[in-house]
Amino acid sequence: MKRTQRCMAWLLMLSIMLAAMPSAGAQAATKPKTMAHAYYMIDAESGQKILSSHANKRICPASTVKLLTALTVLDYADLNQKIKYTRKLQKKIPSDASALNLKTGRVYTVRQYLNMLLIVSDAGSALALAEGTAGNVDDFVDMMNDKAEELGMKHSHFDNPVGLDKGSGYNQTYTTAADFIKVAKAAMEEPVIARIVAKHKYKVQPVGVKKSFMIKNTNAFYGTYKKLVKNRKYKIIGSKTGTTRAAGHCLVATAVDEEGNTVLCAFYGNGGYERLYKDIRKLLDYAFARY
């Protein structure tokens, strides 16, 4: 009897030890090493955090701000509304901002400006949308901050719709990775934005003009670095890039796997351009391994 009891006690202890040991999958899914000012990664459907780093550190978001610009525009403007691109507006574009150098006097719809804003990060489109939506840029910026408050962004403020920061004299544009992931989630839940950021290229046809021109997405996962995610069990379905000296290389990336699990990652890099894409690939690998 005593022998049986000892055997049962030993088996119970063994089962407890085995239960406490991490599985092979858990051991493999170690937190990736990255070079980042901050990042935040969530499951898009539930909003549950998957992984973060320096989530509440104040950072400059660069042109990822244009996702908030687009969300604000869609709250007030009609997609078919026409806005003229004027010389006065062109003069307001800072020399260090990304710009398509659109021809003045041409007319574009809000839909076309949104495509140019989000696919190639055109600063002129940001200003045209701001003035066309609110009448002037200052009032539009107030709308942006109202939208940020609506999204629950308690540690963020914006003073321009382009994403310029202290390096260009705009000292009141800042956020955190934990705050900005809320913009990323809201943006990808907006069908107009989700469709635009998934495009690799887009043909722009100015209103009343026969000649068109083609623009290509600044997301290098669609071009130069697509090899990094080739043969993965997930694909990139949307993003917004951004770069300034203060912000570093930034990318809000969205990816989905074969089962429909969708991951959002707001990443603010502290390394080079190539390192940005390698680090995000590591984080996405980690996230989808968990599913």
Side-chain angles (χ1 to χ4, degrees), residues 49-196:
K49 183 177 78 170
I50 298 171
L51 200 64
S52 69
S53 176
H54 302 294
N56 296 310
K57 176 183 176 182
R58 182 180 285 194
I59 55 168
C60 295
S63 284
T64 61
V65 162
K66 292 186 176 86
L67 289 171
L68 180 61
T69 299
L71 283 169
T72 305
V73 168
L74 289 171
D75 279 349
Y76 296 95
D78 183 271
L79 289 172
N80 296 317
Q81 177 185 339
K82 297 179 178 67
I83 302 171
K84 181 180 283 190
Y85 188 75
T86 63
R87 187 175 298 278
K88 182 179 177 182
L89 194 151
Q90 186 185 51
K91 288 180 178 179
K92 293 180 181 179
I93 301 173
S95 60
D96 55 347
S98 174
L100 276 171
N101 296 317
L102 298 173
K103 287 187 177 181
T104 58
R106 294 280 172 89
V107 176
Y108 302 91
T109 64
V110 166
R111 187 190 302 275
Q112 290 173 325
Y113 278 120
L114 285 171
N115 275 272
M116 292 186 284
L117 175 81
L118 298 174
I119 293 176
V120 290
S121 205
D122 179 49
S125 294
L127 296 175
L129 286 166
E131 292 197 355
T133 300
N136 62 77
V137 173
D138 288 342
D139 285 349
F140 183 81
V141 168
D142 288 340
M143 292 177 180
M144 287 176 65
N145 284 300
D146 288 343
K147 185 66 177 180
E149 186 176 350
E150 177 190 319
L151 293 172
M153 300 170 72
K154 296 180 179 180
H155 306 287
S156 301
H157 189 271
F158 306 94
D159 62 2
N160 70 95
V162 176
L164 300 169
D165 53 42
K166 55 190 178 183
S168 302
Y170 292 87
N171 298 314
Q172 295 302 312
T173 284
Y174 55 82
T175 188
T176 67
D179 264 7
F180 210 83
I181 198 70
K182 296 172 184 177
V183 176
K185 188 173 188 297
M188 292 307 292
E189 288 172 351
E190 170 51 64
V192 173
I193 296 176
R195 284 194 294 269
I196 290 173

Side-chain angles (χ1 to χ4, degrees), residues 12 16-17 35 61 63 81 102 110 115 144 147 204 221 248 250 255 283 285:
L12 178 62
I16 292 171
M17 290 171 64
M35 288 183 68
S63 284
Q81 177 185 339
L102 298 173
V110 166
N115 275 272
M144 287 176 65
K147 185 66 177 180
V204 184
F221 273 137
C250 314
L283 291 174
D285 284 353

Side-chain angles (χ1 to χ4, degrees), residues 212-225:
S212 63
F213 59 93
M214 190 70 69
I215 57 175
K216 292 184 179 180
N217 204 306
T218 55
N219 174 16
F221 273 137
Y222 294 155
T224 308
Y225 296 120

